Amino acid sequence: MRSVCSKDEGRTFSKIPKMMASSVTTITPEVLWAQRPDELYVTINAPDVPEPTITLTKNQLKFEGTNTSGKKYAVTLDFLKEVDTEVFSHAFLPLLFFLSLKNGR
């Protein structure tokens, strides 16, 4: 597929074809995880997302957010076993979100 370029006051602009523009709306971020018998560790690599929306239930984790460049990130993780939603720790860092969960009993 070919994109069309035009010049306006010495700057070059690229026009993305309509078919391609709709397919790049949401990015699935890289997700890393590790587990121990009593804990689950999840790292979501979504750079520069200042205010993500995180929904945690016993069976699922949802992460959504838009970074400072306008890229939208979203991922949903379904857990194999229930987790304790009352006991967890988390950290928001400029490049990622980290979450430590206890297994539910």
Side-chain angles (χ1 to χ4, degrees), residues 6-83:
S6 63
K7 286 198 174 220
D8 181 30
E9 297 176 15
R11 297 177 300 201
T12 302
F13 299 93
S14 294
K15 295 181 181 177
I16 299 173
K18 288 183 181 179
M19 265 180 23
M20 290 178 61
S22 64
S23 66
V24 290
T25 55
T26 303
I27 300 168
T28 302
E30 178 185 43
V31 176
L32 305 172
W33 64 274
Q35 66 184 37
R36 293 186 173 176
D38 61 337
E39 288 185 284
L40 174 65
Y41 305 101
V42 179
T43 302
I44 300 174
N45 293 320
D48 301 322
V49 177
E51 296 180 19
T53 301
I54 298 163
T55 307
L56 177 63
T57 65
K58 296 184 299 183
N59 300 310
Q60 193 176 70
L61 170 68
K62 287 184 181 182
F63 177 93
E64 294 179 345
T66 303
N67 74 1
T68 54
S69 301
K71 294 179 183 175
K72 182 178 179 181
Y73 290 92
V75 66
T76 300
L77 304 174
D78 294 320
F79 302 132
L80 293 177
K81 295 181 180 178
E82 290 185 356
V83 296

